[in-house]
């Protein structure tokens, strides 16, 4: 584990102190008699400490003492690949998704290579859906110019625990062409950046999310945005080739902002 977590580090610079380093140096001097008082704390408090660490530091606490080993698997985590060294990022993400049962309070994957995940852990979309994730960011920035964006795994649109979702640089899944294929009962915020999808896909997606309040569309493909939602409050359309924004059966919509030709246009919606 330690080899995986620390592989690829630049040894010309001092590495950032980890929780394992700090706690390990603290434990022998925790009391005048050398007693390990930190490990004697209640599980709830130790889990609260671990939940506030980066994923590598959280995993590193398993090396402190036997008292800590089971806590890693029982603590809700935040997985952010920006905390991981680039050379080991894909391997660590695969390992964490496979090893930790969840729940994850948040997952942000904006630097890893999803092609590597597909190769090393083909079931990663299914695992994400089963982790009880509340906030999810999936940005696929490793795409070749002039190449189509990879297809978003359809499982992501059936994650019933999600409350906030940001997607970037994907092609909308072909097998989720109808609202019945989407199950996001708790999602209230959706951000999409450069998503290749049809006007119909977007309309069905919006209508299929029952508590959606905020929708942000940035440089997406749909040219006709048709809003049909009983819960939507705010819509932002930024940098997209949108020709039309049609508001239909959206009684709670208060404001829609659109950036056309570098002019901010306020669309007043009469409810």
């Amino acid at each position: 584990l330690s080899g995986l977590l620390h592989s690829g580090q630049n040894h010309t610079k001092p590495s950032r102190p980890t929780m394992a380093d700090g706690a390990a140096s603290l434990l022998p001097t925790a009391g005048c008699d050398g007693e390990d008082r930190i490990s004697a704390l209640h599980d709830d408090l130790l889990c609260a400490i671990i939940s506030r660490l980066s994923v590598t530091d959280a995993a590193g606490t398993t090396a402190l003492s036997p008292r800590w080993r089971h806590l890693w698997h029982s603590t809700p985590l935040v997985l952010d690949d920006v905390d991981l060294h680039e050379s080991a990022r894909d391997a660590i993400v695969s390992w964490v998704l496979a090893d930790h049962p969840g729940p994850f309070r948040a997952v942000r994957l904006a630097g890893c290579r999803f092609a590597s995940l597909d190769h090393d852990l083909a079931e990663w979309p299914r695992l994400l859906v089963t982790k009880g994730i509340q906030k999810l960011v999936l940005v696929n920035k490793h795409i070749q110019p002039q190449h189509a964006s990879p297809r978003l795994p359809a499982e992501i649109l059936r994650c019933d625990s999600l409350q906030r979702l940001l997607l970037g640089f994907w092609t909308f899944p072909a097998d989720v062409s109808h609202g019945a294929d989407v199950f996001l009962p708790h999602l209230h915020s959706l951000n999409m950046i450069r998503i290749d999808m049809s006007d119909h896909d977007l309309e069905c997606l919006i209508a299929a999310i029952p508590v959606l309040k905020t929708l942000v569309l940035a440089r997406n493909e749909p040219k006709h945005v048709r809003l049909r939602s009983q819960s939507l409050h705010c819509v932002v359309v930024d940098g997209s080739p949108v020709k039309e924004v049609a508001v239909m059966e959206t009684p709670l919509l208060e404001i829609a902002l659109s950036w056309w030709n570098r002019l901010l246009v306020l669309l007043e919606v009469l409810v």
Side-chain angles (χ1 to χ4, degrees), residues 154-159 173-184 208:
E155 293 93 331
I156 301 302
L157 300 179
R158 293 190 281 268
C159 184
D175 54 345
V176 185
S177 58
H178 303 287
D181 299 317
V182 177
F183 187 61
L184 297 167

Side-chain angles (χ1 to χ4, degrees), residues 8-223:
Q9 288 186 347
N10 184 348
H11 296 287
T12 63
K13 298 180 181 180
S15 59
R16 181 166 60 97
T18 66
M19 173 63 184
D21 297 331
S25 64
L26 178 62
L27 293 181
T29 58
C32 296
D33 54 1
E35 180 184 359
D36 177 3
R37 295 182 179 175
I38 292 180
S39 292
L41 295 174
H42 194 275
D43 277 7
D44 290 345
L45 182 54
L46 295 180
C47 287
I49 294 172
I50 294 175
S51 69
R52 286 163 173 77
L53 302 175
S54 69
V55 68
T56 50
D57 290 347
T61 62
T62 60
L64 293 178
S65 74
R67 178 72 174 77
W68 291 75
R69 288 172 187 166
H70 76 282
L71 297 174
W72 154 258
H73 290 96
S74 60
T75 301
L77 295 182
V78 172
L79 173 58
D80 189 341
D81 65 4
V82 74
D83 296 327
L84 309 177
H85 194 280
E86 184 176 359
S87 64
R89 181 177 291 148
D90 299 342
I92 295 175
V93 168
S94 295
W95 172 77
V96 172
L97 290 178
D99 186 72
H100 197 285
F104 283 25
R105 290 189 290 114
V107 173
R108 180 181 183 272
L109 302 181
C112 69
R113 298 179 182 273
F114 290 95
S116 296
L117 282 184
D118 290 337
H119 180 270
D120 298 337
L121 190 67
E123 66 270 28
W124 71 266
R126 179 187 62 80
L127 290 174
L128 273 179
V129 171
T130 63
K131 301 296 184 182
I133 300 171
Q134 298 177 7
K135 301 177 183 180
L136 177 61
V137 174
L138 294 179
V139 177
N140 191 5
K141 69 177 185 179
H142 296 286
I143 55 176
Q144 298 296 326
Q146 310 304 321
H147 284 66
S149 299
R151 198 167 295 280
L152 177 73
E155 293 93 331
I156 301 302
L157 300 179
R158 293 190 281 268
C159 184
D160 60 3
S161 60
L162 276 180
Q163 299 178 17
R164 301 174 65 89
L165 175 62
L166 187 152
L167 301 171
F169 303 93
W170 295 96
T171 296
F172 197 76
D175 54 345
V176 185
S177 58
H178 303 287
D181 299 317
V182 177
F183 187 61
L184 297 167
H186 300 107
L187 190 72
H188 58 76
S189 177
L190 175 61
N191 292 258
M192 295 194 294
I193 305 168
R194 291 200 175 184
I195 304 299
D196 186 0
M197 63 192 308
S198 69
D199 296 354
H200 178 71
D201 287 338
L202 178 60
E203 182 177 356
C204 290
L205 178 62
I206 294 172
I209 305 176
V211 297
L212 184 64
K213 293 184 177 180
T214 302
L215 174 67
V216 177
L217 304 173
R219 300 183 182 276
N220 294 283
E221 286 299 319
K223 294 180 173 57

